[in-house]
Amino acid sequence: MKLVTWNVNSLKVRLPQVLQWLETNPVDVLCIQETKLTDDKFPQAEIEAAGYQVAFTGQKTYNGVAILSKHNMTDIQKNNPQFEDEQQRIIAATIEGIRVICAYVPNGQAPDSDKFQYKLKWFAALENWVREEMTRHTKLAILGDYNIAPEDRDVHDPAAWVGMNLVSPEERAALKSLIDLGLSDSFRQFEQAEKSFSWWDYRALGFRLNKGVRIDHILLSAELAKQCTSCVIDRVPRKWEQPSDHAPVIATLA
DNA sequence: ATGGCATCGCGCCGATGA
């Protein structure tokens, strides 16, 4: 069983790349963030033709999330039921006994901004909801763009990032608090190359110079963590023409 | 090097992203 998260930065632009990637990587579940599409514009037919069922919730211009699955999806939940939010950032479904949560955590802009406060509030509400979901589902996975680099080793140049969002003590504490519910950062269950990142700035040769951050994560409940045999970042589609600025992260469960 | 780039919107710049 392979579970993937990928922020595609506009599914309208990236649909051909998503379909191409799925052809060579016929994974079971693909969680997508930043579709940037209203539901009436969602390319459901094209995705179903590729052999995937799909659940999605979107809005104009910003945000938007989707789950593509080779298996049946039940109990589809759009957004956090405990958090009123106009922004479409969460979709969840139960797939083969696994509660799959696809999340696009707010960016937060800068630590002194209103958007940062929204990010922290949003994230605290996510934790409260996940705590509840974990009482119902021992097999639970949260995949997404967390917009948080957990540790300095997840940042190409930690000194240059001091004072920025994505790396602040508040954000890192919030992520740690979520993980402390009993989740595992699947990427760190395994030996990984140094300077492994999942996002690189389009500007200033970010990818070529590997100036990136690791902000896309797959968190697994204890039962799933035991079954996890690998977690890798696929840098290949980041090298394609007109790529997303994020790379897919793939967890394999036995 | 406070630049660089990509996407979207009733576009020709501004907001947002990370």
Side-chain angles (χ1 to χ4, degrees), chain A residues 148-162 166-167 172 188 195-197 210-215:
Chain A
I148 301 172
E151 302 175 66
D152 276 355
R153 62 175 165 163
D154 300 309
V155 181
H156 68 91
D157 182 357
W161 279 78
V162 170
L166 312 194
V167 304
R172 286 177 168 174
R188 291 299 180 203
K195 301 196 179 295
S196 290
F197 307 126
N210 197 30
K211 289 183 172 178
V213 287
R214 191 177 69 93
I215 54 174

Side-chain angles (χ1 to χ4, degrees), chain A residues 179-231:
Chain A
I179 288 173
D180 284 349
L181 293 177
L183 298 164
S184 161
D185 177 356
S186 55
F187 189 75
R188 291 299 180 203
Q189 289 182 228
F190 307 96
E191 187 86 28
Q192 304 288 357
E194 278 185 36
K195 301 196 179 295
S196 290
F197 307 126
S198 65
W199 174 88
W200 303 261
D201 202 314
Y202 285 122
R203 299 165 293 183
L205 303 175
F207 183 67
R208 271 175 55 189
L209 301 175
N210 197 30
K211 289 183 172 178
V213 287
R214 191 177 69 93
I215 54 174
D216 299 272
H217 310 301
I218 300 176
L219 301 187
L220 300 174
S221 64
E223 198 170 323
L224 289 184
K226 273 190 292 183
Q227 294 177 26
C228 187
T229 56
S230 89
C231 181

Side-chain angles (χ1 to χ4, degrees), chain A residues 109-178:
Chain A
Q109 200 167 60
D112 62 354
S113 68
D114 290 346
K115 287 177 181 169
F116 191 83
Q117 293 309 313
Y118 164 71
K119 179 180 193 171
L120 295 180
K121 242 182 250 170
W122 190 98
F123 205 92
L126 174 70
E127 181 186 324
N128 283 331
W129 178 52
V130 168
R131 181 183 294 112
E132 234 183 67
E133 288 286 278
M134 285 177 75
T135 67
R136 290 188 282 266
H137 305 275
T138 55
K139 295 185 176 184
L140 179 141
I142 316 169
L143 302 94
D145 175 357
Y146 286 72
N147 269 317
I148 301 172
E151 302 175 66
D152 276 355
R153 62 175 165 163
D154 300 309
V155 181
H156 68 91
D157 182 357
W161 279 78
V162 170
M164 309 261 288
N165 57 313
L166 312 194
V167 304
S168 72
E170 295 97 321
E171 290 163 276
R172 286 177 168 174
L175 178 57
K176 184 181 184 303
S177 179
L178 175 67

Side-chain angles (χ1 to χ4, degrees), chain A residues 230-251:
Chain A
S230 89
C231 181
V232 296
I233 297 168
D234 182 7
R235 295 161 55 102
V236 169
R238 187 63 177 79
K239 300 170 186 169
W240 291 346
E241 284 286 310
Q242 202 181 7
S244 166
D245 40 2
H246 295 254
V249 183
I250 309 160

Side-chain angles (χ1 to χ4, degrees), chain A residues 44-59:
Chain A
Q44 182 166 6
E46 291 92 327
I47 288 169
E48 286 175 352
Y52 285 86
Q53 301 179 32
V54 67
F56 51 89
T57 182
Q59 65 184 87

Side-chain angles (χ1 to χ4, degrees), chain A residues 36-47:
Chain A
K36 299 186 177 179
L37 289 169
T38 50
D39 291 350
D40 58 305
K41 301 243 171 63
F42 194 91
Q44 182 166 6
E46 291 92 327
I47 288 169

